[in-house]
Amino acid sequence: MTVEEPRSEEEFREFYRDSYNRTVRRLMFMSRLKQPDAEDVVSVAFNETHRKWKEVIEPAAFLWDRVKKRLLDHLHKADQQRKHEILCDSTEGIAVKTAPHTEEPESCVSLIYYKTLLAKLSEEDQRVIALDYAGVSKEEQARALGCSVGAVRVRLSRARAKVKVLARRDQSQAEVQ
């Protein structure tokens, strides 16, 4: 085939069949991506190659160039998502405080009780309380939760109110028994 000839759809299909699996494996080996992520990157690169197919001179080189660019996009997006993730159970750090040897352990008992109350809340309420407990700024909380700073304050206030309601219910049930 000469460079002047326009490439056909059948040639693209053949190129795709011959190189898709090899490209995914190569990307997985070179980048340590898991297969679903590598397939996503390669699929986007193949779509871009298909759109430019009639103009492409070296299909394999053009495709690999697109794969590398889409890999960078994927890694950047994954890095941005990791910045806003909570990497542990939202109530994990709340009941870990040890009792001081000079005092009674009531404060620790109340923290454990607080953790059981938090477990009864929705995941969103647990998350907003955990972010606040961890000392994360309101601006960072807003980015992590995907909302405004004002919405974070409202969510936090409502979540704390729910905890108080749950505590009152438990206290009234304990008094009845």
Side-chain angles (χ1 to χ4, degrees), residues 1-39:
M1 177 175 162
T2 64
V3 175
E4 294 81 31
E5 292 179 25
R7 296 183 182 276
S8 68
E9 286 296 315
E10 183 56 40
E11 287 175 312
F12 179 78
R13 284 189 213 102
E14 185 178 325
F15 173 69
Y16 179 83
R17 280 191 302 270
D18 292 344
S19 58
Y20 179 81
N21 288 332
R22 181 179 59 239
T23 306
V24 169
R25 287 191 309 270
R26 181 179 177 196
L27 179 61
M28 288 171 58
F29 176 76
M30 294 182 77
S31 66
R32 304 285 189 227
L33 283 181
K34 293 184 176 163
Q35 185 169 355
D37 292 333
E39 288 175 348

mmCIF file of all heavy atoms in Angstrom, residues 1-39:
data_model
loop_
_atom_site.group_PDB
_atom_site.id
_atom_site.type_symbol
_atom_site.label_atom_id
_atom_site.label_comp_id
_atom_site.label_asym_id
_atom_site.label_seq_id
_atom_site.Cartn_x
_atom_site.Cartn_y
_atom_site.Cartn_z
ATOM 1 N N MET A 1 0.835 -1.179 0.000
ATOM 2 C CA MET A 1 0.000 0.000 0.000
ATOM 3 C C MET A 1 0.879 1.240 0.000
ATOM 4 O O MET A 1 1.824 1.347 0.759
ATOM 5 C CB MET A 1 -0.893 -0.027 1.242
ATOM 6 C CG MET A 1 -1.737 1.154 1.406
ATOM 7 S SD MET A 1 -2.812 0.854 2.822
ATOM 8 C CE MET A 1 -3.259 2.505 3.110
ATOM 9 N N THR A 2 0.566 2.192 -0.805
ATOM 10 C CA THR A 2 1.332 3.431 -0.841
ATOM 11 C C THR A 2 0.694 4.466 0.065
ATOM 12 O O THR A 2 -0.470 4.351 0.432
ATOM 13 C CB THR A 2 1.412 3.985 -2.287
ATOM 14 O OG1 THR A 2 0.100 4.314 -2.699
ATOM 15 C CG2 THR A 2 2.043 2.977 -3.228
ATOM 16 N N VAL A 3 1.439 5.486 0.353
ATOM 17 C CA VAL A 3 0.973 6.530 1.252
ATOM 18 C C VAL A 3 -0.185 7.296 0.634
ATOM 19 O O VAL A 3 -1.083 7.749 1.328
ATOM 20 C CB VAL A 3 2.136 7.482 1.614
ATOM 21 C CG1 VAL A 3 1.646 8.643 2.448
ATOM 22 C CG2 VAL A 3 3.237 6.731 2.308
ATOM 23 N N GLU A 4 -0.204 7.440 -0.673
ATOM 24 C CA GLU A 4 -1.231 8.235 -1.341
ATOM 25 C C GLU A 4 -2.613 7.593 -1.291
ATOM 26 O O GLU A 4 -3.619 8.272 -1.404
ATOM 27 C CB GLU A 4 -0.855 8.493 -2.808
ATOM 28 C CG GLU A 4 0.372 9.378 -2.975
ATOM 29 C CD GLU A 4 1.674 8.608 -2.799
ATOM 30 O OE1 GLU A 4 1.721 7.399 -3.113
ATOM 31 O OE2 GLU A 4 2.639 9.209 -2.313
ATOM 32 N N GLU A 5 -2.664 6.282 -1.194
ATOM 33 C CA GLU A 5 -3.957 5.593 -1.181
ATOM 34 C C GLU A 5 -4.688 5.851 0.130
ATOM 35 O O GLU A 5 -4.095 5.749 1.193
ATOM 36 C CB GLU A 5 -3.770 4.079 -1.318
ATOM 37 C CG GLU A 5 -3.262 3.631 -2.646
ATOM 38 C CD GLU A 5 -3.087 2.128 -2.674
ATOM 39 O OE1 GLU A 5 -3.778 1.420 -1.897
ATOM 40 O OE2 GLU A 5 -2.263 1.663 -3.448
ATOM 41 N N PRO A 6 -5.966 6.185 0.038
ATOM 42 C CA PRO A 6 -6.715 6.318 1.299
ATOM 43 C C PRO A 6 -6.923 4.951 1.943
ATOM 44 O O PRO A 6 -7.094 3.945 1.257
ATOM 45 C CB PRO A 6 -8.038 6.941 0.865
ATOM 46 C CG PRO A 6 -8.103 6.799 -0.602
ATOM 47 C CD PRO A 6 -6.737 6.502 -1.122
ATOM 48 N N ARG A 7 -6.882 4.920 3.231
ATOM 49 C CA ARG A 7 -7.075 3.664 3.960
ATOM 50 C C ARG A 7 -8.560 3.364 4.047
ATOM 51 O O ARG A 7 -9.374 4.249 4.229
ATOM 52 C CB ARG A 7 -6.477 3.782 5.352
ATOM 53 C CG ARG A 7 -4.995 3.990 5.334
ATOM 54 C CD ARG A 7 -4.452 4.022 6.749
ATOM 55 N NE ARG A 7 -3.049 4.271 6.748
ATOM 56 C CZ ARG A 7 -2.116 3.343 6.580
ATOM 57 N NH1 ARG A 7 -2.453 2.098 6.412
ATOM 58 N NH2 ARG A 7 -0.838 3.665 6.599
ATOM 59 N N SER A 8 -8.877 2.073 4.010
ATOM 60 C CA SER A 8 -10.281 1.656 4.040
ATOM 61 C C SER A 8 -10.688 1.236 5.449
ATOM 62 O O SER A 8 -9.848 0.977 6.303
ATOM 63 C CB SER A 8 -10.508 0.496 3.073
ATOM 64 O OG SER A 8 -9.841 -0.660 3.545
ATOM 65 N N GLU A 9 -11.991 1.136 5.654
ATOM 66 C CA GLU A 9 -12.529 0.663 6.938
ATOM 67 C C GLU A 9 -12.111 -0.776 7.196
ATOM 68 O O GLU A 9 -11.856 -1.152 8.334
ATOM 69 C CB GLU A 9 -14.057 0.775 6.943
ATOM 70 C CG GLU A 9 -14.571 2.177 7.092
ATOM 71 C CD GLU A 9 -14.207 2.788 8.430
ATOM 72 O OE1 GLU A 9 -14.359 2.116 9.476
ATOM 73 O OE2 GLU A 9 -13.772 3.946 8.436
ATOM 74 N N GLU A 10 -12.052 -1.575 6.153
ATOM 75 C CA GLU A 10 -11.646 -2.978 6.314
ATOM 76 C C GLU A 10 -10.203 -3.070 6.808
ATOM 77 O O GLU A 10 -9.887 -3.903 7.655
ATOM 78 C CB GLU A 10 -11.804 -3.734 4.989
ATOM 79 C CG GLU A 10 -11.470 -5.204 5.076
ATOM 80 C CD GLU A 10 -12.275 -5.943 6.150
ATOM 81 O OE1 GLU A 10 -13.481 -5.681 6.312
ATOM 82 O OE2 GLU A 10 -11.674 -6.785 6.847
ATOM 83 N N GLU A 11 -9.347 -2.188 6.326
ATOM 84 C CA GLU A 11 -7.966 -2.174 6.805
ATOM 85 C C GLU A 11 -7.907 -1.799 8.283
ATOM 86 O O GLU A 11 -7.095 -2.346 9.032
ATOM 87 C CB GLU A 11 -7.134 -1.182 5.987
ATOM 88 C CG GLU A 11 -6.838 -1.658 4.587
ATOM 89 C CD GLU A 11 -6.110 -0.604 3.780
ATOM 90 O OE1 GLU A 11 -6.554 0.558 3.781
ATOM 91 O OE2 GLU A 11 -5.092 -0.963 3.152
ATOM 92 N N PHE A 12 -8.750 -0.862 8.682
ATOM 93 C CA PHE A 12 -8.772 -0.508 10.112
ATOM 94 C C PHE A 12 -9.228 -1.694 10.938
ATOM 95 O O PHE A 12 -8.648 -1.972 11.978
ATOM 96 C CB PHE A 12 -9.679 0.702 10.384
ATOM 97 C CG PHE A 12 -9.730 1.042 11.842
ATOM 98 C CD1 PHE A 12 -8.693 1.732 12.436
ATOM 99 C CD2 PHE A 12 -10.784 0.621 12.641
ATOM 100 C CE1 PHE A 12 -8.714 2.025 13.801
ATOM 101 C CE2 PHE A 12 -10.818 0.907 13.997
ATOM 102 C CZ PHE A 12 -9.773 1.608 14.576
ATOM 103 N N ARG A 13 -10.283 -2.380 10.518
ATOM 104 C CA ARG A 13 -10.765 -3.545 11.274
ATOM 105 C C ARG A 13 -9.673 -4.604 11.401
ATOM 106 O O ARG A 13 -9.502 -5.203 12.458
ATOM 107 C CB ARG A 13 -12.006 -4.129 10.602
ATOM 108 C CG ARG A 13 -13.242 -3.319 10.838
ATOM 109 C CD ARG A 13 -14.503 -4.044 10.333
ATOM 110 N NE ARG A 13 -15.435 -3.055 9.875
ATOM 111 C CZ ARG A 13 -15.675 -2.730 8.613
ATOM 112 N NH1 ARG A 13 -15.086 -3.378 7.633
ATOM 113 N NH2 ARG A 13 -16.522 -1.783 8.304
ATOM 114 N N GLU A 14 -8.940 -4.824 10.327
ATOM 115 C CA GLU A 14 -7.853 -5.800 10.355
ATOM 116 C C GLU A 14 -6.745 -5.341 11.307
ATOM 117 O O GLU A 14 -6.225 -6.129 12.103
ATOM 118 C CB GLU A 14 -7.294 -5.979 8.950
ATOM 119 C CG GLU A 14 -6.243 -7.061 8.849
ATOM 120 C CD GLU A 14 -5.763 -7.228 7.425
ATOM 121 O OE1 GLU A 14 -6.570 -7.079 6.489
ATOM 122 O OE2 GLU A 14 -4.559 -7.513 7.270
ATOM 123 N N PHE A 15 -6.394 -4.073 11.233
ATOM 124 C CA PHE A 15 -5.386 -3.506 12.138
ATOM 125 C C PHE A 15 -5.842 -3.656 13.583
ATOM 126 O O PHE A 15 -5.063 -4.054 14.453
ATOM 127 C CB PHE A 15 -5.157 -2.028 11.784
ATOM 128 C CG PHE A 15 -4.264 -1.299 12.741
ATOM 129 C CD1 PHE A 15 -2.908 -1.587 12.829
ATOM 130 C CD2 PHE A 15 -4.769 -0.297 13.558
ATOM 131 C CE1 PHE A 15 -2.089 -0.908 13.710
ATOM 132 C CE2 PHE A 15 -3.962 0.385 14.441
ATOM 133 C CZ PHE A 15 -2.613 0.082 14.525
ATOM 134 N N TYR A 16 -7.100 -3.370 13.847
ATOM 135 C CA TYR A 16 -7.666 -3.484 15.196
ATOM 136 C C TYR A 16 -7.573 -4.922 15.698
ATOM 137 O O TYR A 16 -7.106 -5.172 16.808
ATOM 138 C CB TYR A 16 -9.116 -3.000 15.178
ATOM 139 C CG TYR A 16 -9.815 -3.100 16.509
ATOM 140 C CD1 TYR A 16 -9.662 -2.100 17.460
ATOM 141 C CD2 TYR A 16 -10.619 -4.190 16.827
ATOM 142 C CE1 TYR A 16 -10.296 -2.173 18.696
ATOM 143 C CE2 TYR A 16 -11.262 -4.280 18.057
ATOM 144 C CZ TYR A 16 -11.089 -3.271 18.973
ATOM 145 O OH TYR A 16 -11.705 -3.358 20.192
ATOM 146 N N ARG A 17 -8.023 -5.871 14.875
ATOM 147 C CA ARG A 17 -7.986 -7.289 15.280
ATOM 148 C C ARG A 17 -6.565 -7.755 15.557
ATOM 149 O O ARG A 17 -6.318 -8.493 16.507
ATOM 150 C CB ARG A 17 -8.600 -8.171 14.190
ATOM 151 C CG ARG A 17 -10.093 -8.226 14.168
ATOM 152 C CD ARG A 17 -10.606 -9.322 13.237
ATOM 153 N NE ARG A 17 -10.138 -9.161 11.859
ATOM 154 C CZ ARG A 17 -10.777 -8.471 10.914
ATOM 155 N NH1 ARG A 17 -11.914 -7.873 11.196
ATOM 156 N NH2 ARG A 17 -10.294 -8.379 9.697
ATOM 157 N N ASP A 18 -5.630 -7.309 14.727
ATOM 158 C CA ASP A 18 -4.245 -7.762 14.870
ATOM 159 C C ASP A 18 -3.509 -7.121 16.044
ATOM 160 O O ASP A 18 -2.589 -7.718 16.594
ATOM 161 C CB ASP A 18 -3.452 -7.468 13.587
ATOM 162 C CG ASP A 18 -3.910 -8.321 12.417
ATOM 163 O OD1 ASP A 18 -4.603 -9.335 12.650
ATOM 164 O OD2 ASP A 18 -3.584 -7.952 11.269
ATOM 165 N N SER A 19 -3.893 -5.911 16.429
ATOM 166 C CA SER A 19 -3.059 -5.203 17.402
ATOM 167 C C SER A 19 -3.730 -4.873 18.727
ATOM 168 O O SER A 19 -3.042 -4.456 19.654
ATOM 169 C CB SER A 19 -2.523 -3.915 16.769
ATOM 170 O OG SER A 19 -3.587 -3.102 16.348
ATOM 171 N N TYR A 20 -5.028 -5.041 18.874
ATOM 172 C CA TYR A 20 -5.697 -4.626 20.114
ATOM 173 C C TYR A 20 -5.136 -5.366 21.327
ATOM 174 O O TYR A 20 -4.662 -4.740 22.287
ATOM 175 C CB TYR A 20 -7.208 -4.836 20.022
ATOM 176 C CG TYR A 20 -7.927 -4.432 21.286
ATOM 177 C CD1 TYR A 20 -8.232 -3.104 21.529
ATOM 178 C CD2 TYR A 20 -8.271 -5.369 22.254
ATOM 179 C CE1 TYR A 20 -8.867 -2.708 22.691
ATOM 180 C CE2 TYR A 20 -8.910 -4.987 23.426
ATOM 181 C CZ TYR A 20 -9.204 -3.657 23.626
ATOM 182 O OH TYR A 20 -9.823 -3.275 24.776
ATOM 183 N N ASN A 21 -5.184 -6.685 21.329
ATOM 184 C CA ASN A 21 -4.723 -7.458 22.494
ATOM 185 C C ASN A 21 -3.245 -7.221 22.785
ATOM 186 O O ASN A 21 -2.847 -7.090 23.940
ATOM 187 C CB ASN A 21 -4.986 -8.948 22.283
ATOM 188 C CG ASN A 21 -6.459 -9.275 22.377
ATOM 189 O OD1 ASN A 21 -7.212 -8.598 23.069
ATOM 190 N ND2 ASN A 21 -6.873 -10.306 21.672
ATOM 191 N N ARG A 22 -2.434 -7.156 21.735
ATOM 192 C CA ARG A 22 -1.002 -6.919 21.916
ATOM 193 C C ARG A 22 -0.761 -5.541 22.548
ATOM 194 O O ARG A 22 0.072 -5.392 23.445
ATOM 195 C CB ARG A 22 -0.299 -7.024 20.560
ATOM 196 C CG ARG A 22 1.187 -6.820 20.627
ATOM 197 C CD ARG A 22 1.884 -6.943 19.275
ATOM 198 N NE ARG A 22 1.340 -5.969 18.332
ATOM 199 C CZ ARG A 22 0.769 -6.285 17.166
ATOM 200 N NH1 ARG A 22 0.677 -7.535 16.792
ATOM 201 N NH2 ARG A 22 0.308 -5.347 16.378
ATOM 202 N N THR A 23 -1.520 -4.549 22.126
ATOM 203 C CA THR A 23 -1.360 -3.194 22.668
ATOM 204 C C THR A 23 -1.783 -3.136 24.130
ATOM 205 O O THR A 23 -1.116 -2.500 24.959
ATOM 206 C CB THR A 23 -2.175 -2.188 21.830
ATOM 207 O OG1 THR A 23 -1.804 -2.329 20.453
ATOM 208 C CG2 THR A 23 -1.918 -0.770 22.273
ATOM 209 N N VAL A 24 -2.869 -3.813 24.473
ATOM 210 C CA VAL A 24 -3.318 -3.850 25.876
ATOM 211 C C VAL A 24 -2.259 -4.518 26.739
ATOM 212 O O VAL A 24 -1.903 -4.000 27.808
ATOM 213 C CB VAL A 24 -4.686 -4.568 26.002
ATOM 214 C CG1 VAL A 24 -5.022 -4.834 27.460
ATOM 215 C CG2 VAL A 24 -5.780 -3.752 25.347
ATOM 216 N N ARG A 25 -1.740 -5.659 26.303
ATOM 217 C CA ARG A 25 -0.709 -6.357 27.085
ATOM 218 C C ARG A 25 0.550 -5.504 27.235
ATOM 219 O O ARG A 25 1.152 -5.445 28.309
ATOM 220 C CB ARG A 25 -0.364 -7.697 26.439
ATOM 221 C CG ARG A 25 -1.436 -8.760 26.610
ATOM 222 C CD ARG A 25 -0.959 -10.132 26.202
ATOM 223 N NE ARG A 25 -0.352 -10.178 24.891
ATOM 224 C CZ ARG A 25 -1.001 -10.400 23.747
ATOM 225 N NH1 ARG A 25 -2.291 -10.638 23.758
ATOM 226 N NH2 ARG A 25 -0.348 -10.417 22.595
ATOM 227 N N ARG A 26 0.955 -4.843 26.158
ATOM 228 C CA ARG A 26 2.149 -3.986 26.199
ATOM 229 C C ARG A 26 1.945 -2.844 27.194
ATOM 230 O O ARG A 26 2.830 -2.546 27.997
ATOM 231 C CB ARG A 26 2.420 -3.435 24.800
ATOM 232 C CG ARG A 26 3.624 -2.552 24.706
ATOM 233 C CD ARG A 26 3.835 -2.081 23.286
ATOM 234 N NE ARG A 26 4.963 -1.179 23.189
ATOM 235 C CZ ARG A 26 5.202 -0.398 22.161
ATOM 236 N NH1 ARG A 26 4.392 -0.419 21.117
ATOM 237 N NH2 ARG A 26 6.247 0.388 22.152
ATOM 238 N N LEU A 27 0.784 -2.229 27.154
ATOM 239 C CA LEU A 27 0.502 -1.136 28.081
ATOM 240 C C LEU A 27 0.479 -1.635 29.519
ATOM 241 O O LEU A 27 1.032 -0.984 30.414
ATOM 242 C CB LEU A 27 -0.830 -0.467 27.725
ATOM 243 C CG LEU A 27 -1.259 0.681 28.623
ATOM 244 C CD1 LEU A 27 -0.235 1.809 28.574
ATOM 245 C CD2 LEU A 27 -2.627 1.183 28.221
ATOM 246 N N MET A 28 -0.129 -2.792 29.757
ATOM 247 C CA MET A 28 -0.168 -3.348 31.111
ATOM 248 C C MET A 28 1.244 -3.626 31.617
ATOM 249 O O MET A 28 1.566 -3.356 32.777
ATOM 250 C CB MET A 28 -1.006 -4.634 31.138
ATOM 251 C CG MET A 28 -2.489 -4.392 30.998
ATOM 252 S SD MET A 28 -3.446 -5.909 30.775
ATOM 253 C CE MET A 28 -3.018 -6.815 32.247
ATOM 254 N N PHE A 29 2.091 -4.166 30.746
ATOM 255 C CA PHE A 29 3.465 -4.479 31.140
ATOM 256 C C PHE A 29 4.254 -3.213 31.437
ATOM 257 O O PHE A 29 4.970 -3.129 32.431
ATOM 258 C CB PHE A 29 4.159 -5.283 30.033
ATOM 259 C CG PHE A 29 5.595 -5.560 30.312
ATOM 260 C CD1 PHE A 29 5.951 -6.536 31.235
ATOM 261 C CD2 PHE A 29 6.596 -4.840 29.682
ATOM 262 C CE1 PHE A 29 7.286 -6.797 31.512
ATOM 263 C CE2 PHE A 29 7.935 -5.086 29.952
ATOM 264 C CZ PHE A 29 8.277 -6.065 30.870
ATOM 265 N N MET A 30 4.105 -2.198 30.597
ATOM 266 C CA MET A 30 4.918 -0.990 30.733
ATOM 267 C C MET A 30 4.427 -0.065 31.844
ATOM 268 O O MET A 30 5.213 0.657 32.438
ATOM 269 C CB MET A 30 4.958 -0.238 29.410
ATOM 270 C CG MET A 30 5.688 -1.012 28.333
ATOM 271 S SD MET A 30 5.779 -0.103 26.816
ATOM 272 C CE MET A 30 7.081 1.037 27.213
ATOM 273 N N SER A 31 3.128 -0.088 32.132
ATOM 274 C CA SER A 31 2.591 0.895 33.081
ATOM 275 C C SER A 31 2.089 0.277 34.372
ATOM 276 O O SER A 31 1.714 0.995 35.284
ATOM 277 C CB SER A 31 1.445 1.657 32.430
ATOM 278 O OG SER A 31 0.367 0.777 32.188
ATOM 279 N N ARG A 32 2.006 -1.045 34.429
ATOM 280 C CA ARG A 32 1.472 -1.760 35.594
ATOM 281 C C ARG A 32 -0.006 -1.457 35.841
ATOM 282 O O ARG A 32 -0.485 -1.569 36.958
ATOM 283 C CB ARG A 32 2.272 -1.455 36.860
ATOM 284 C CG ARG A 32 3.731 -1.746 36.763
ATOM 285 C CD ARG A 32 3.994 -3.226 36.825
ATOM 286 N NE ARG A 32 5.428 -3.474 36.932
ATOM 287 C CZ ARG A 32 6.047 -4.361 36.181
ATOM 288 N NH1 ARG A 32 5.390 -5.067 35.317
ATOM 289 N NH2 ARG A 32 7.332 -4.543 36.328
ATOM 290 N N LEU A 33 -0.721 -1.042 34.791
ATOM 291 C CA LEU A 33 -2.164 -0.841 34.916
ATOM 292 C C LEU A 33 -2.857 -2.189 34.977
ATOM 293 O O LEU A 33 -2.368 -3.179 34.423
ATOM 294 C CB LEU A 33 -2.717 -0.088 33.699
ATOM 295 C CG LEU A 33 -2.504 1.404 33.607
ATOM 296 C CD1 LEU A 33 -3.148 1.933 32.332
ATOM 297 C CD2 LEU A 33 -3.058 2.130 34.800
ATOM 298 N N LYS A 34 -3.998 -2.219 35.613
ATOM 299 C CA LYS A 34 -4.822 -3.425 35.589
ATOM 300 C C LYS A 34 -5.519 -3.484 34.240
ATOM 301 O O LYS A 34 -5.674 -2.475 33.550
ATOM 302 C CB LYS A 34 -5.824 -3.387 36.726
ATOM 303 C CG LYS A 34 -5.145 -3.477 38.074
ATOM 304 C CD LYS A 34 -6.116 -3.534 39.193
ATOM 305 C CE LYS A 34 -5.309 -3.711 40.485
ATOM 306 N NZ LYS A 34 -6.018 -3.413 41.651
ATOM 307 N N GLN A 35 -5.964 -4.683 33.873
ATOM 308 C CA GLN A 35 -6.508 -4.889 32.540
ATOM 309 C C GLN A 35 -7.684 -3.974 32.200
ATOM 310 O O GLN A 35 -7.701 -3.396 31.110
ATOM 311 C CB GLN A 35 -6.902 -6.352 32.335
ATOM 312 C CG GLN A 35 -7.352 -6.618 30.911
ATOM 313 C CD GLN A 35 -7.491 -8.081 30.602
ATOM 314 O OE1 GLN A 35 -7.163 -8.933 31.403
ATOM 315 N NE2 GLN A 35 -7.986 -8.368 29.414
ATOM 316 N N PRO A 36 -8.684 -3.783 33.081
ATOM 317 C CA PRO A 36 -9.793 -2.904 32.700
ATOM 318 C C PRO A 36 -9.341 -1.467 32.405
ATOM 319 O O PRO A 36 -9.814 -0.848 31.455
ATOM 320 C CB PRO A 36 -10.723 -2.932 33.912
ATOM 321 C CG PRO A 36 -10.389 -4.193 34.626
ATOM 322 C CD PRO A 36 -8.942 -4.445 34.373
ATOM 323 N N ASP A 37 -8.390 -0.956 33.186
ATOM 324 C CA ASP A 37 -7.891 0.394 32.944
ATOM 325 C C ASP A 37 -7.098 0.459 31.642
ATOM 326 O O ASP A 37 -7.232 1.414 30.869
ATOM 327 C CB ASP A 37 -7.019 0.864 34.108
ATOM 328 C CG ASP A 37 -7.811 1.076 35.383
ATOM 329 O OD1 ASP A 37 -9.027 1.360 35.284
ATOM 330 O OD2 ASP A 37 -7.229 0.951 36.473
ATOM 331 N N ALA A 38 -6.274 -0.553 31.399
ATOM 332 C CA ALA A 38 -5.501 -0.594 30.157
ATOM 333 C C ALA A 38 -6.434 -0.684 28.952
ATOM 334 O O ALA A 38 -6.215 -0.015 27.935
ATOM 335 C CB ALA A 38 -4.534 -1.780 30.171
ATOM 336 N N GLU A 39 -7.486 -1.470 29.060
ATOM 337 C CA GLU A 39 -8.443 -1.576 27.958
ATOM 338 C C GLU A 39 -9.147 -0.248 27.707
ATOM 339 O O GLU A 39 -9.391 0.122 26.552
ATOM 340 C CB GLU A 39 -9.458 -2.675 28.241
ATOM 341 C CG GLU A 39 -8.876 -4.063 28.125
ATOM 342 C CD GLU A 39 -9.851 -5.162 28.526
ATOM 343 O OE1 GLU A 39 -10.903 -4.851 29.108
ATOM 344 O OE2 GLU A 39 -9.537 -6.333 28.251
#
